[in-house]
Amino acid sequence: MTKTAFTADSIASFATAYPETPNKLNHDLCSHPLLQLPALVELASKLRPEHVEHNQGDLPIGIAPEDVPEPALDIAETIRSIEESGSWMALKFIENVPEYHELLVETLGSINPAVCGKTGAMENLEGFVFVSSPGAVTPFHFDPEHNILLQIRGSKVLTMFPAADESIVPPQDHESFAFGEHHRNLVWKDSMSAQGTPISLTEGEALYVPVKMPHWVKNGPDVSISLSVTWRSDWSVAESEARAMNALLRGAGLSPTSPKRWPASNIGKSFAYRALRKTGAAKVARSLLG
């Protein structure tokens, strides 16, 4: 029988909140051997170099990608000295290492029924491990996947912002993101602070983060290790395709209506974009109109 990472109460709570409401869960992966620092040094050596990102930890909440400074230490040394290096790092696409793929599948298995019943089958399962120095900041950003962030060691605070508020993330940024032209980091304005909701995570807690919900992260006073398990769904893919279709319409001089949040399907624009993409017309149109 497959081991369940989340408690039964957490799974029930998640099923009610999914897919639009941030939701805390409890898990039992804190002592998992694959998620301890020595194993993560080895994991970093097995991943493709471009799938290991490390940054200084004293970044501001908002920063343009080109302004992020180059890290001073290499990957292994950053992990080994994480208590004093003032850094944070992300080990990306850990599912490409077999034992971590198994961990990812087992972790997500218990919530699969709740997901499939609302947004369709889990697709494109991916995993990320974040190792952060005390006080490190992950700048303001959003992610295109459904995401559960499990706190393995230490603590952090995620400050979350309304996903549908276009005064926070303009439609044009969503549309560029759909074409891979916009970095995950978002423009930050101090005036947006009051719209944020801080949610704290300690060891043994996890947080479900809805698709494209903007947030920034502040580490607690100790070293932090977090595991992010993500998936796409029929709904999230359709939303992204509808955004891409809107980019083409906007490039043609129109003012398209933004896709709606779940339970709206956005299937009309999604199908239209798929048809254009299948013929190669979408790429041509984006290059001409973008």
Side-chain angles (χ1 to χ4, degrees):
M1 181 176 179
T2 300
K3 189 175 184 292
T4 299
F6 301 113
T7 64
D9 287 347
S10 291
I11 295 170
S13 176
F14 169 83
T16 299
Y18 183 78
E20 284 294 273
T21 305
N23 182 75
K24 270 194 174 185
L25 304 93
N26 296 310
H27 70 85
D28 63 0
L29 294 182
C30 290
S31 60
H32 198 290
L34 291 177
L35 300 174
Q36 311 309 308
L37 284 178
L40 297 179
V41 172
E42 184 177 354
L43 171 62
S45 71
K46 294 179 179 178
L47 296 173
R48 294 167 59 177
E50 63 268 29
H51 292 166
V52 181
E53 175 185 357
H54 58 312
N55 295 284
Q56 290 182 197
D58 57 349
L59 299 177
I61 297 172
I63 186 170
E66 62 271 18
D67 294 333
V68 176
E70 290 293 324
L73 302 175
D74 65 23
I75 295 159
E77 186 58 30
T78 297
I79 297 177
R80 292 192 185 101
S81 63
I82 197 68
E83 291 188 15
E84 60 275 341
S85 64
S87 306
W88 68 266
M89 66 183 310
L91 307 179
K92 304 176 180 180
F93 309 115
I94 64 173
E95 71 281 355
N96 291 316
V97 178
E99 57 267 36
Y100 286 90
H101 178 264
E102 183 178 351
L103 173 63
L104 180 64
V105 170
E106 287 187 354
T107 302
L108 289 174
S110 61
I111 64 168
N112 185 60
V115 168
C116 291
K118 291 186 175 180
T119 59
M122 282 184 167
E123 304 170 7
N124 197 29
L125 307 187
E126 295 176 339
F128 308 81
V129 174
F130 301 97
V131 184
S132 309
S133 296
V137 170
T138 303
F140 188 53
H141 68 285
F142 67 13
D143 305 296
E145 310 95 350
H146 304 274
N147 174 23
I148 297 179
L149 184 69
L150 297 88
Q151 193 65 20
I152 305 301
R153 173 179 170 182
S155 63
K156 59 181 49 174
V157 175
L158 288 84
T159 301
M160 318 283 289
F161 294 78
D165 190 335
E166 293 187 345
S167 71
I168 296 175
V169 184
Q172 293 87 342
D173 288 354
H174 283 275
E175 293 159 13
S176 295
F177 192 85
F179 275 98
E181 300 167 351
H182 193 290
H183 192 271
R184 66 173 183 271
N185 287 0
L186 301 169
V187 174
W188 171 258
K189 300 175 184 176
D190 289 341
S191 59
M192 298 188 300
S193 294
Q195 295 169 269
T197 300
I199 302 177
S200 61
L201 281 184
T202 58
E203 294 178 9
E205 293 184 325
L207 178 66
Y208 168 66
V209 181
V211 170
K212 289 187 176 177
M213 179 163 279
H215 58 282
W216 65 276
V217 185
K218 172 78 171 182
N219 233 41
D222 301 306
V223 169
S224 169
I225 300 175
S226 305
L227 169 66
S228 178
V229 292
T230 75
W231 66 97
R232 300 299 297 268
S233 66
D234 291 345
W235 180 85
S236 73
V237 171
E239 189 273 346
S240 179
E241 291 171 337
R243 292 285 187 183
M245 188 66 209
N246 274 4
L248 300 181
L249 296 172
R250 196 179 303 279
L254 302 176
S255 298
T257 302
S258 294
K260 303 299 183 184
R261 298 292 299 184
W262 187 88
S265 68
N266 302 305
I267 203 67
K269 286 180 179 176
S270 172
F271 278 164
Y273 178 73
R274 289 181 193 183
L276 290 173
R277 183 178 60 194
K278 187 174 182 180
T279 64
K283 186 175 181 179
V284 172
R286 181 60 174 169
S287 64
L288 293 175
L289 300 174

